[in-house]
Amino acid sequence: MAHARTRKQSSRKSAKAPQYVYFFANGKAEGSSAMRPLLGGKGSELAEMTNLGVPVPPGFTITTEAWAAYTSGGKKHPAGLWGQVVANLARLEAAAGRRLGDPDQPLLVSVRSGARASMPGMMDTVLNLGLNDKTVLGLARQTRNERFAWDCYRRFITIFGDVVLGIERRAFDALLDAAKARTGAKTDADVPADALKGLVTEGKRLVQEKARQAFPQDPTEQLRLAINAVFDSWWAKKAVDYRRINRLSDDWGTAVTVMAMVFGNLGDTSGTGVCFSRDPSTGEKRFFGEFLVNAQGEDVVAGIRTPEPVDGLKRRMPKVYSRLVAIKDRLERHYRDMQDIEFTVQEGRLFILQTRSGKRTAAAAVRTAVEMVKEKLINRKTALLRVEPASLNQLLHPMVDPAAKVTSIAKGLPAAPGAASGKVVFDSERAVEWAHKGEKVILVRAETSPEDVAGMHAAEGVLTSRGGLTSHAAVVARGMGKCCVVGAGDVIVDEEKRAFQAGRTLVREGQVITLNGSTGEVMVGTVPLIEPAWSNELKQLLHWADTTATTKVRANADTPKQAREAREKGARGIGLVRTEHMFFGEERIPIVREMIMARDEQARQKAVDRLLPFQREDFVGIFEAMAGLPVTIRLLDPPLHEFLPKYKDVIEDYTRLDALGINPQRHHELGELKARLEVLIEANPMLGHRGCRLGITFPEIYDMQVRAIMEAACAVARKIGVGKVEPEIMIPLTGTVAEMKLTREMTVAVAEHVVDEMGIKVPYSVGTMIEVPRAALVAGRIAEFAEFFSFGTNDLTQMTFGYSRDDIGKFLPFYLDKKLLAADPFAVLDQEGVGELVRIGIERGRKTNPKLKVGICGEHGGEPSSVEFCHQVGMTYVSCSPFMVPIARLAAAQAQLKEPRRGSGGKRHG
Ligand code: ADP
Ligand code: MG
Ligand code: MG
């Protein structure tokens, strides 16, 4: 409807149209940081900086609301938009003292994308807009620099052809390369004016040929087309992929900023750069950045020439340098965060073109957060919220052993620390394809572009031969927490041959290399890695986390070694000891098999008695390691056939011996094994004879385990003190009150017996897993016989969805792709369904027993969003694998900061 209106009608309507355009110039802006959703990150911060008095070229920002109206209106401008653009263009021309399309004093503008969340390089930007065959001459006269004017024009044709007209950028680059070859120019900056003129003619011809239209000469038309193209770049494949990887909403849309161009390509007193207020790789408080003389913005990011460190400006342009330092300090103080700043120097004058909070490695995130608290820039709460819990994983990743003797074949710039080994691939598609098959790959490129993001995501690490520490590859890799080495000049990539040469070494696709992201070294093959040490800042941050969180973090550990590791990583107890793992030991498995093969109770008891000392020994080690902290031990859970050899193998051996007629004794044994297996094997073992069902039908097993636990507890208590051993005996797979009542009675009988025997009164508690949906529903009654619940969300998820954990792979990828499931429910707790059972279980359980301790011990216990949920539903603790403990500690603190809960529950029962 709207588009059918006449101009008159639409202008009448525009009285009511929302404000679609926000102006900024000369120290005054209509927008501000607070308007980020409406003006996008770039637009709102340009406005904010303008208001701060930072030198920003004048311009205006078209809102995301305009984008939404344009997009939902079938790519038509909503009423009032264009009128507002034209009016603000007039204001911009007045501020700049030049006019768009004016042949004598032409105004050139950039048309920039900008969403509310930073999506670096994913959407499009058009630079040097406003040039045509006439204005280029005016620009040359005005600047008295013909080469510059034609350089801008050929850049404009390239970028406009690419972004607006959809012509492959490569075609323009080929023209440039040919011109460079013809004129013997080493870099773009050496191509002489005449050759640039020729390039403009060739570029226009290319446009005519590919787009079947003349290159548009009307600057207003150029502007309209560019605005629409930037709107549309929200839907570019790379942008859509980026949002999917980073879980950003498709609905936000992009704002469009139109601003006066400033020129870094006006000679040796001009240039362009990117800088960070602190080192984004380590977090060290030092000015960090890069600068290219005589270049325009994208040249730095694209890694076309390798830039020099920003310190070089100190020599070249001392005044500009000190101004820049003052501005970056000002911006960091203002935003109270590390800033990533784009700047351009035009003939000795500094302009700031963008600021945003800098993407950083986890190490840098931790260090800056802690140091900024010490500098009183931010408080602890902000510091804790500033580090993404999952990103801590990076810090816990292994790195190349500094003591190892390695020979590197090349060295580049260390862009993102850590180490990565994998098979070399040379393009994004192959990286994704091989990673999909489970291969570890290293993506090797001359330089990366936004099209490579999917491949970078799939790769273990990224190596480029060109570009600096602020190049696309470096920025994106840091954001992803990927190991990355850039600008390794010795690496010569031959994409066609699928190989690279580094000195005398030729490395082909598929060969394994290792990157050291901390030193920039590239090595052939794999090299020894070590566990990284925790920095003091990480320890500090996690200490703050512990004093903040009300939900405690425990670990799942089956051995004394794991328990010690968990404690070192800050676990406040063991939430799950799986006793079956103790049955699998080399000397033990024959005894376990004997127990299973036993024909009668007596024989079974004999085998069980032999297992007792082994179990006791394990528990002693764990109790000692966890002195002073609670330890939850789960009685045997898996079905017995898991301890026997595979039926298929037994049958094979049996039939072979049968056929050969040899080794009659072994033949006989195999026959018995086969017969026993036939009895034990179940159609559906996950729903079969396991957990407390097993303990109830073979009481000798649980009795032995309880005895081993209590004997160990008493022995350790005698050594280190009664208060320091806290066994919590846990019954698996309870589904009915009767099961709970019976197993509790069995447990207490043995435990009391041992306490009497040993003459030392170690307090213990008895509780249960809640992992069968029915148990959650009857939790109120089960709690009559349980002092604690531990939600086994792996089984609970399996039984609530009816998805077999082992078979989900067949349909899960499809479900995720079609968005039938938001995430793998075995990785991220399904709060809506499984979570509802958890909520019910806790509520009903605590109604019966207000002191009920509640925890979780499924895989979800270390996943940040699930930890937050556990906190919200009032769990006493979460328990996760030892290596996830730091992540869970931070996640628990963040959960408390987001939704405060009174702490006493956690402390008293934790
Ligand atoms: P991206 O979001 O991909 O970084 P930008 O909109 O920031 O895209 O622009 C790309 C490059 O062009 C940047 O280096 C930027 O500094 C430069 N640039 C943008 N607008 C101008 C301008 N008005 N004058 C000079 N350079 C500009
Ligand atoms: Mg930018
Ligand atoms: Mg289970």
Side-chain angles (χ1 to χ4, degrees), residues 286-603:
R286 67 174 183 110
F287 189 29
F288 173 94
E290 293 178 324
F291 181 75
L292 258 182
V293 169
N294 196 13
Q296 229 180 33
E298 349 139 72
D299 298 356
V300 179
V301 183
I304 290 165
R305 277 192 272 155
T306 299
E308 58 183 291
V310 74
D311 293 346
L313 260 184
K314 212 188 283 182
R315 252 185 312 103
R316 283 182 190 271
M317 309 177 199
K319 275 205 187 116
V320 169
Y321 181 79
S322 55
R323 184 100 205 269
L324 182 62
V325 169
I327 289 175
K328 70 98 182 154
D329 284 340
R330 169 101 198 271
L331 290 175
E332 187 179 277
R333 272 200 314 278
H334 180 72
Y335 290 105
R336 294 166 187 276
D337 197 3
M338 184 236 279
Q339 296 297 296
D340 165 354
I341 300 161
E342 286 176 5
F343 65 95
T344 283
V345 182
Q346 174 174 335
E347 299 187 302
R349 245 183 101 187
L350 174 67
F351 295 92
I352 305 298
L353 293 171
Q354 185 174 345
T355 192
R356 59 184 173 207
S357 78
K359 288 225 185 302
R360 63 202 81 175
T361 62
V366 169
R367 180 162 176 184
T368 52
V370 171
E371 289 188 349
M372 282 182 178
V373 171
K374 300 205 164 132
E375 293 162 26
K376 301 205 159 47
L377 266 181
I378 58 175
N379 59 22
R380 286 182 188 185
K381 176 178 172 179
T382 309
L384 283 167
L385 288 170
R386 231 177 229 176
V387 179
E388 186 68 48
S391 77
L392 292 184
N393 211 356
Q394 283 174 43
L395 299 184
L396 313 166
H397 266 335
M399 49 189 231
V400 173
D401 183 351
K405 268 206 144 128
V406 296
T407 27
S408 55
I409 53 166
K411 192 161 183 207
L413 302 169
S421 299
K423 294 185 175 168
V424 168
V425 290
F426 292 95
D427 63 68
S428 182
E429 281 101 74
R430 191 147 304 184
V432 171
E433 189 187 308
W434 286 20
H436 230 83
K437 290 190 295 195
E439 303 264 23
K440 293 189 166 171
V441 300
I442 304 283
L443 181 63
V444 181
R445 307 277 291 151
E447 70 221 9
T448 65
S449 72
E451 276 78 14
D452 294 317
V453 168
M456 294 176 74
H457 188 68
E460 300 295 309
V462 180
L463 168 64
T464 70
S465 52
R466 280 187 291 205
L469 288 170
T470 56
S471 64
H472 177 268
V475 171
V476 174
R478 273 199 293 275
M480 290 177 176
K482 286 263 136 105
C483 173
C484 179
V485 173
V486 297
D490 295 343
V491 169
I492 299 166
V493 177
D494 189 334
E495 278 183 42
E496 306 246 292
K497 289 216 182 88
R498 297 197 165 276
F500 74 80
Q501 187 82 42
R504 282 211 213 108
T505 316
L506 181 78
V507 178
R508 294 182 193 283
E509 184 166 79
Q511 234 174 303
V512 174
I513 62 167
T514 298
L515 305 180
N516 184 341
S518 310
T519 61
E521 283 168 301
V522 182
M523 286 133 313
V524 171
T526 54
V527 304
L529 303 180
I530 53 160
E531 289 293 320
W534 286 23
S535 68
N536 287 333
E537 289 85 10
L538 178 61
K539 287 181 198 157
Q540 176 67 265
L541 190 79
L542 289 174
H543 174 68
W544 291 339
D546 292 344
T547 56
T548 303
T550 47
T551 307
K552 298 275 175 276
V553 177
R554 296 193 191 180
N556 302 342
D558 303 335
T559 62
K561 181 164 169 282
Q562 282 177 0
R564 279 191 294 274
E565 189 191 337
R567 192 163 194 168
E568 258 164 44
K569 299 220 149 88
R572 305 288 298 275
I574 301 292
L576 176 64
V577 178
R578 296 180 186 85
T579 50
E580 59 269 23
H581 287 198
M582 301 175 172
F583 281 35
F584 281 109
E586 219 179 307
E587 323 147 86
R588 309 175 187 188
I589 195 99
I591 315 176
V592 175
R593 287 188 183 157
E594 211 173 285
M595 172 185 92
I596 299 170
M597 299 296 286
R599 288 177 187 278
D600 53 40
E601 219 168 286
Q602 243 177 341

Side-chain angles (χ1 to χ4, degrees), residues 56-125:
V56 170
F60 56 84
T61 300
I62 303 169
T63 63
T64 51
E65 231 170 75
W67 171 86
Y70 164 87
T71 303
S72 62
K75 301 198 175 183
K76 297 254 157 46
H77 283 185
L81 172 57
W82 187 248
Q84 292 184 33
V85 168
V86 169
N88 280 280
L89 179 62
R91 294 169 82 185
L92 171 55
E93 290 173 334
R98 277 166 288 148
R99 299 186 43 153
L100 192 71
D102 184 329
D104 296 318
Q105 296 279 326
L107 170 69
L108 302 196
V109 296
S110 62
V111 181
R112 314 174 68 184
S113 54
R116 76 166 70 170
S118 163
M119 298 169 54
M122 294 303 141
M123 289 180 296
D124 290 327
T125 282

Side-chain angles (χ1 to χ4, degrees), residues 634 637 690 769 771 795:
R634 180 181 71 186
D637 178 25
R690 57 176 283 222
M769 302 271 292
E771 53 187 336
D795 267 313

Side-chain angles (χ1 to χ4, degrees), residues 266-278:
L266 262 171
D268 285 348
T269 55
S270 304
T272 186
V274 179
C275 61
F276 287 78
S277 58
R278 302 190 186 212

